[in-house]
Amino acid sequence: MSTEAKNSTRKTTAKKTTRGTTKKSTAKSGWDAKALTDKQRAYFAQGNTKSYDFRLERLRKLQEVIEAHEEAIIEALQKDFKKSPFETYATEIGFVLGEIAHARSNLASWMGAKKVGGSLLNFPSGSYIYSEPYGICLILGAWNYPLQLTFGPLVGALAAGNCAIVKPSELAANTSAVMAKMISENFDEAHIKVVEGGKEVAEKLLAEKLDYIFFTGSVRVGKIVMQAAAQHLTPVTLELGGKSPCVIDKTANLDLAAKRIAWGKFLNGGQTCVAPDYLLVHKAVKPRFMQLFKEHIKAMYGDDPQQSPDYPRIINQGHYKRLVGYLKEGRILTGGDTNDKERYIAPTVLDQLNWDDQVMQEEIFGPILPILEFETIEEVAQQIAHHPKPLALYLFSEDADHQKYITENVSFGGGCINDTVAHLVNTNMPFGGVGDSGIGSYHGRSSFQTFSHQKSVMKKATWLDVPLRYAPYKGKMKWLKMAFRWT
Ligand code: NAD
């Protein structure tokens, strides 16, 4: 245990015995939301979290701690939903380590005040933008990528010089426990604390005055979080979900499309916020696409995906039953096998559906892929526009006009042309939704910006004081107009 964490443990114990805790404000694990936020606020006020050295050191520490717990994280995700070690490394451990490495190499340039152009009306002066940490940031995570969706934003919060309270989802309970241990043994809870639990714990934290809230989860809970934030005027980032379309036109490289869609859809057992939710395939290429799609599923997961060590399970019985319910709504083109005990659902494609079916009304979030047909690209844009703005959109096409048309005419959070999901791994691109799929973005520099207030400061010289702005105004109007035109 680090000296910092030991000190913190001593301090925490002392606080508990002298202060005691009330039933009303104490969560099941014995922590107290108000005491925790007070403690972090006092720590932040000391100013230590703002220095370059401190930020860099804590990022380095986080990296070390994750590396040291690689096996434990892999094991926890195996227990939570049979996620393979390869996918755990690619989408959780490696992903967060990549974010840390990027933040560490760019921190100095991100932190520095940015000099920007001045305005004639303020002559003589210099103008600067300072990135200021907010203070205490609450990070609420979803269960499907439990490490990535909490420690990913944490990298941004630490790089920006904040304190952070992280609440992972209770549904990935094993991973949540490992994360809590990793942080409590290595960081002072006055700086970073992982609080475990579900809705009630989140509600207690949200009742406190926080300086930033970063939420990943469903649209329904996103609205609850935003309402709670409004009580304290706390700024929010909402990383939400929705139905992400995947379009395949008749010029597409069908073999690659089938392979890349099968990968993006069945990764994590289809439990990915940016997974292709449904397919819109040109009528002329649908039969060939389906044939190739089946071949690629078989190549990735074998004749019986239930036996594949690489194919995850559904997180819990509730989600499993919801997904099994969809299977009755269409004609099964491939897959459809289930196993209640294991919460297994085979990679499945559903045909003969329309927009009124439940599976086309709700985010699927599982290994079931409805397939719809289209004839014109304009029709595709219209259909998508009739529904909430998606978090992601994927277009498979060799037609540059179609690529341009969809990119420019359809609103969506982000996406790929001729691939799925992979846009997330580029730290140079902000990741986030639009409309119902979210507010704000993160990853790479965008994470640093998300967790920083942009403070604009003008430094005015004192060697000259232009008299234009002061009354009496008589005779100054023409100069004022001129100054605004030149500014
Ligand atoms: P969820 O909204 O049920 O839960 C998310 C978090 O909110 C959890 O920590 C949970 O404990 C907490 N929570 C639940 N009810 C709450 C309440 N009433 N008040 C306060 N907090 C509450 O989401 P989930 O099931 O964990 O995740 C699935 C959803 O998340 C899907 O919609 C998916 O698309 C979305 N998601 C989005 C992204 C993204 O980056 N945009 C990533 C992953 C998942």
Side-chain angles (χ1 to χ4, degrees), residues 145-165:
Y145 290 91
L147 188 91
Q148 184 202 131
L149 301 174
T150 47
F151 282 13
L154 179 63
V155 173
L158 299 187
N162 295 283
C163 293
I165 302 171

Side-chain angles (χ1 to χ4, degrees), residues 141-144 167 170 202 215-218 221 239-241 273 363 431:
W143 61 265
N144 59 329
K167 196 210 77 66
E170 70 283 17
F215 170 80
T216 304
S218 60
V221 179
E239 296 284 342
L240 310 177
C273 58
E363 178 182 9
F431 168 68

